[in-house]
Amino acid sequence: ALRLAGGRSRCEGRVEIEQAGVWGTGCDDAWDQPDADVGGRQLRCGWAMRVHSGASFGRGSGPILRDEVGCEGHEEHLWDCPAVLEHDCSHKEDAGVVCSEHQEWQLSGGRDGCAGRVEVFFRGTWSTVCDNTWYDLEANVLCRTLGCGELLRRVSFNHTLPGRMLYQCGSLQPSLAHCQWTYNKSAPCHQSRAAGVVCNGTGH
């Protein structure tokens, strides 16, 4: 099995592999775009947007199960690629990746990082969020995800970025990525404005 750990979603983090019931990590020697692309595709996380080395998602534990991974990019699984099982690595060299299906958010144009227009980084680009289904529930999920406390109020802005995202949360989820989302479908976003929030916390 394969997973990403230490990131903010299941599509970002340190590469961890399970072998014979034990989870271990991969070493960053020769860890590059084709390797990360294969891992991303295997996890249904799209393609690799950022390839990380030097344990940037924290040091893992357990054995180091792959070194000098040499994917060409077309392989179905990470373990279909040639790799060295004998290694000279430590966990400070754990490999990581940020994939295109990972979502991260920021608020822009407000007084600080806890107020402003909602912008989501997804598939390599920043997009705005349509306010058609942007209610207190969705806004509260975002305030909490950003560590900005609770929602004070919802505000509207203009769409000025190329992409549009639409969220619908049925309940208080850990992040908007756990809610239902639709990307770049014009019909539901028609005549929408860009969602914004003011949270009661203060941003850095």
Side-chain angles (χ1 to χ4, degrees):
L2 181 69
R3 69 183 179 197
L4 298 178
R8 291 160 293 182
S9 78
R10 68 173 197 88
C11 292
E12 167 189 83
R14 178 177 60 252
V15 177
E16 296 194 343
I17 301 158
E18 185 194 22
Q19 209 166 285
V22 176
W23 284 95
T25 62
C27 183
D28 63 13
D29 293 346
W31 176 251
D32 58 10
Q33 188 76 36
D35 307 327
D37 277 339
V38 170
R41 205 166 50 243
Q42 184 180 340
L43 288 164
R44 296 203 172 98
C45 283
W47 66 90
M49 290 189 320
R50 298 200 280 269
V51 179
H52 285 269
S53 56
S56 49
F57 293 102
R59 295 182 184 198
S61 56
I64 291 165
L65 296 172
R66 289 286 185 287
D67 187 16
E68 303 283 353
V69 176
C71 302
E72 288 176 19
H74 57 76
E75 295 87 351
E76 204 173 324
H77 302 104
L78 209 49
W79 38 85
D80 298 338
C81 305
V84 178
L85 302 179
E86 296 292 315
H87 65 82
D88 54 359
C89 302
S90 71
H91 282 298
K92 70 173 191 289
E93 296 171 84
D94 284 344
V97 63
V98 181
C99 299
S100 58
E101 298 298 293
H102 165 69
Q103 297 182 31
E104 59 188 83
W105 301 271
Q106 67 182 16
L107 298 177
S108 75
R111 53 160 205 257
D112 60 23
C114 287
R117 184 173 74 174
V118 182
E119 297 175 1
V120 53
F121 188 71
F122 178 66
R123 294 184 189 163
T125 183
W126 286 98
S127 299
T128 43
V129 174
C130 307
D131 67 358
N132 312 50
T133 56
W134 185 257
Y135 301 117
D136 286 1
L137 178 59
E138 288 77 13
N140 251 319
V141 168
L142 181 63
C143 285
R144 289 179 174 205
T145 303
L146 293 174
C148 287
E150 305 288 322
L151 173 71
L152 278 179
R153 64 180 179 278
R154 290 179 284 130
V155 287
S156 290
F157 293 86
N158 292 324
H159 290 289
T160 57
L161 298 175
R164 309 263 170 105
M165 183 72 92
L166 188 79
Y167 291 106
Q168 281 179 284
C169 304
S171 59
L172 202 55
Q173 296 292 331
S175 88
L176 291 171
H178 294 77
C179 301
Q180 280 183 292
W181 51 266
T182 324
Y183 182 63
N184 273 354
K185 295 273 195 301
S186 57
C189 282
H190 189 57
Q191 294 185 316
S192 70
R193 296 200 68 205
V197 295
V198 180
C199 310
N200 68 6
T202 51
H204 346 290

mmCIF file of all heavy atoms in Angstrom, residues 95-115:
data_model
loop_
_atom_site.group_PDB
_atom_site.id
_atom_site.type_symbol
_atom_site.label_atom_id
_atom_site.label_comp_id
_atom_site.label_asym_id
_atom_site.label_seq_id
_atom_site.Cartn_x
_atom_site.Cartn_y
_atom_site.Cartn_z
ATOM 1 N N ALA A 95 11.321 11.458 1.218
ATOM 2 C CA ALA A 95 10.759 12.097 0.019
ATOM 3 C C ALA A 95 9.305 12.488 0.253
ATOM 4 O O ALA A 95 8.588 11.846 1.029
ATOM 5 C CB ALA A 95 10.852 11.129 -1.164
ATOM 6 N N GLY A 96 8.860 13.540 -0.443
ATOM 7 C CA GLY A 96 7.471 13.985 -0.321
ATOM 8 C C GLY A 96 6.963 14.548 -1.636
ATOM 9 O O GLY A 96 7.713 14.698 -2.608
ATOM 10 N N VAL A 97 5.661 14.855 -1.651
ATOM 11 C CA VAL A 97 5.051 15.375 -2.883
ATOM 12 C C VAL A 97 3.792 16.170 -2.549
ATOM 13 O O VAL A 97 3.128 15.909 -1.540
ATOM 14 C CB VAL A 97 4.717 14.211 -3.861
ATOM 15 C CG1 VAL A 97 3.692 13.263 -3.256
ATOM 16 C CG2 VAL A 97 4.236 14.730 -5.211
ATOM 17 N N VAL A 98 3.498 17.176 -3.370
ATOM 18 C CA VAL A 98 2.196 17.859 -3.351
ATOM 19 C C VAL A 98 1.551 17.582 -4.703
ATOM 20 O O VAL A 98 2.113 17.932 -5.742
ATOM 21 C CB VAL A 98 2.339 19.392 -3.161
ATOM 22 C CG1 VAL A 98 0.959 20.048 -3.114
ATOM 23 C CG2 VAL A 98 3.113 19.712 -1.889
ATOM 24 N N CYS A 99 0.390 16.913 -4.689
ATOM 25 C CA CYS A 99 -0.275 16.525 -5.934
ATOM 26 C C CYS A 99 -1.354 17.532 -6.329
ATOM 27 O O CYS A 99 -1.819 18.314 -5.508
ATOM 28 C CB CYS A 99 -0.909 15.148 -5.784
ATOM 29 S SG CYS A 99 0.293 13.857 -5.429
ATOM 30 N N SER A 100 -1.771 17.445 -7.592
ATOM 31 C CA SER A 100 -2.712 18.431 -8.140
ATOM 32 C C SER A 100 -4.078 18.398 -7.468
ATOM 33 O O SER A 100 -4.787 19.389 -7.445
ATOM 34 C CB SER A 100 -2.874 18.205 -9.646
ATOM 35 O OG SER A 100 -3.331 16.889 -9.907
ATOM 36 N N GLU A 101 -4.494 17.240 -6.924
ATOM 37 C CA GLU A 101 -5.812 17.160 -6.281
ATOM 38 C C GLU A 101 -5.795 17.676 -4.833
ATOM 39 O O GLU A 101 -6.831 17.718 -4.190
ATOM 40 C CB GLU A 101 -6.348 15.729 -6.302
ATOM 41 C CG GLU A 101 -6.567 15.176 -7.700
ATOM 42 C CD GLU A 101 -7.607 15.941 -8.510
ATOM 43 O OE1 GLU A 101 -8.795 15.899 -8.158
ATOM 44 O OE2 GLU A 101 -7.231 16.582 -9.508
ATOM 45 N N HIS A 102 -4.606 18.007 -4.334
ATOM 46 C CA HIS A 102 -4.527 18.644 -3.013
ATOM 47 C C HIS A 102 -5.155 20.028 -3.100
ATOM 48 O O HIS A 102 -4.971 20.736 -4.084
ATOM 49 C CB HIS A 102 -3.063 18.753 -2.573
ATOM 50 C CG HIS A 102 -2.844 19.685 -1.423
ATOM 51 N ND1 HIS A 102 -3.289 19.409 -0.158
ATOM 52 C CD2 HIS A 102 -2.242 20.899 -1.350
ATOM 53 C CE1 HIS A 102 -2.974 20.420 0.649
ATOM 54 N NE2 HIS A 102 -2.334 21.329 -0.050
ATOM 55 N N GLN A 103 -5.921 20.386 -2.076
ATOM 56 C CA GLN A 103 -6.526 21.722 -2.050
ATOM 57 C C GLN A 103 -5.975 22.497 -0.854
ATOM 58 O O GLN A 103 -5.906 21.969 0.251
ATOM 59 C CB GLN A 103 -8.051 21.619 -1.905
ATOM 60 C CG GLN A 103 -8.727 20.932 -3.073
ATOM 61 C CD GLN A 103 -10.243 20.881 -2.922
ATOM 62 O OE1 GLN A 103 -10.841 21.774 -2.321
ATOM 63 N NE2 GLN A 103 -10.861 19.850 -3.460
ATOM 64 N N GLU A 104 -5.570 23.739 -1.104
ATOM 65 C CA GLU A 104 -5.235 24.615 0.020
ATOM 66 C C GLU A 104 -5.910 25.956 -0.204
ATOM 67 O O GLU A 104 -6.223 26.317 -1.337
ATOM 68 C CB GLU A 104 -3.724 24.738 0.210
ATOM 69 C CG GLU A 104 -2.958 25.281 -0.958
ATOM 70 C CD GLU A 104 -1.451 25.171 -0.743
ATOM 71 O OE1 GLU A 104 -0.860 24.105 -0.995
ATOM 72 O OE2 GLU A 104 -0.865 26.187 -0.344
ATOM 73 N N TRP A 105 -6.150 26.668 0.886
ATOM 74 C CA TRP A 105 -6.964 27.885 0.812
ATOM 75 C C TRP A 105 -6.232 29.077 1.392
ATOM 76 O O TRP A 105 -5.377 28.938 2.255
ATOM 77 C CB TRP A 105 -8.272 27.683 1.593
ATOM 78 C CG TRP A 105 -9.076 26.536 1.065
ATOM 79 C CD1 TRP A 105 -10.023 26.574 0.072
ATOM 80 C CD2 TRP A 105 -9.006 25.174 1.473
ATOM 81 N NE1 TRP A 105 -10.532 25.313 -0.157
ATOM 82 C CE2 TRP A 105 -9.927 24.443 0.687
ATOM 83 C CE3 TRP A 105 -8.248 24.481 2.418
ATOM 84 C CZ2 TRP A 105 -10.113 23.066 0.816
ATOM 85 C CZ3 TRP A 105 -8.418 23.114 2.558
ATOM 86 C CH2 TRP A 105 -9.350 22.415 1.750
ATOM 87 N N GLN A 106 -6.625 30.247 0.916
ATOM 88 C CA GLN A 106 -6.148 31.494 1.517
ATOM 89 C C GLN A 106 -7.264 32.528 1.384
ATOM 90 O O GLN A 106 -8.165 32.389 0.555
ATOM 91 C CB GLN A 106 -4.885 31.984 0.807
ATOM 92 C CG GLN A 106 -5.119 32.430 -0.630
ATOM 93 C CD GLN A 106 -3.848 32.876 -1.330
ATOM 94 O OE1 GLN A 106 -2.745 32.605 -0.873
ATOM 95 N NE2 GLN A 106 -3.993 33.572 -2.455
ATOM 96 N N LEU A 107 -7.191 33.530 2.250
ATOM 97 C CA LEU A 107 -8.125 34.656 2.164
ATOM 98 C C LEU A 107 -7.322 35.864 1.726
ATOM 99 O O LEU A 107 -6.262 36.156 2.292
ATOM 100 C CB LEU A 107 -8.784 34.905 3.528
ATOM 101 C CG LEU A 107 -9.617 33.731 4.056
ATOM 102 C CD1 LEU A 107 -10.163 34.034 5.439
ATOM 103 C CD2 LEU A 107 -10.753 33.388 3.094
ATOM 104 N N SER A 108 -7.804 36.572 0.705
ATOM 105 C CA SER A 108 -7.026 37.706 0.206
ATOM 106 C C SER A 108 -7.881 38.972 0.174
ATOM 107 O O SER A 108 -9.101 38.909 0.038
ATOM 108 C CB SER A 108 -6.471 37.408 -1.184
ATOM 109 O OG SER A 108 -7.499 37.507 -2.136
ATOM 110 N N GLY A 109 -7.209 40.092 0.326
ATOM 111 C CA GLY A 109 -7.879 41.382 0.219
ATOM 112 C C GLY A 109 -8.571 41.838 1.490
ATOM 113 O O GLY A 109 -9.265 42.847 1.493
ATOM 114 N N GLY A 110 -8.382 41.098 2.590
ATOM 115 C CA GLY A 110 -8.987 41.489 3.866
ATOM 116 C C GLY A 110 -7.968 42.132 4.773
ATOM 117 O O GLY A 110 -6.830 42.383 4.364
ATOM 118 N N ARG A 111 -8.351 42.352 6.027
ATOM 119 C CA ARG A 111 -7.447 43.057 6.955
ATOM 120 C C ARG A 111 -6.275 42.173 7.347
ATOM 121 O O ARG A 111 -5.218 42.658 7.745
ATOM 122 C CB ARG A 111 -8.228 43.487 8.216
ATOM 123 C CG ARG A 111 -8.965 42.335 8.862
ATOM 124 C CD ARG A 111 -9.356 42.515 10.297
ATOM 125 N NE ARG A 111 -9.465 41.166 10.869
ATOM 126 C CZ ARG A 111 -10.619 40.556 11.099
ATOM 127 N NH1 ARG A 111 -11.751 41.140 10.830
ATOM 128 N NH2 ARG A 111 -10.622 39.328 11.600
ATOM 129 N N ASP A 112 -6.450 40.843 7.300
ATOM 130 C CA ASP A 112 -5.356 39.919 7.634
ATOM 131 C C ASP A 112 -5.691 38.563 7.028
ATOM 132 O O ASP A 112 -6.632 38.456 6.238
ATOM 133 C CB ASP A 112 -5.163 39.811 9.161
ATOM 134 C CG ASP A 112 -6.408 39.308 9.885
ATOM 135 O OD1 ASP A 112 -7.245 38.641 9.250
ATOM 136 O OD2 ASP A 112 -6.539 39.567 11.089
ATOM 137 N N GLY A 113 -4.944 37.536 7.400
ATOM 138 C CA GLY A 113 -5.134 36.206 6.826
ATOM 139 C C GLY A 113 -6.427 35.525 7.227
ATOM 140 O O GLY A 113 -6.711 34.413 6.774
ATOM 141 N N CYS A 114 -7.236 36.163 8.086
ATOM 142 C CA CYS A 114 -8.497 35.567 8.536
ATOM 143 C C CYS A 114 -9.722 36.300 8.000
ATOM 144 O O CYS A 114 -10.827 36.151 8.508
ATOM 145 C CB CYS A 114 -8.540 35.492 10.057
ATOM 146 S SG CYS A 114 -7.449 34.201 10.712
ATOM 147 N N ALA A 115 -9.530 37.121 6.982
ATOM 148 C CA ALA A 115 -10.653 37.827 6.358
ATOM 149 C C ALA A 115 -10.321 38.076 4.903
ATOM 150 O O ALA A 115 -9.163 38.309 4.557
ATOM 151 C CB ALA A 115 -10.915 39.156 7.064
#
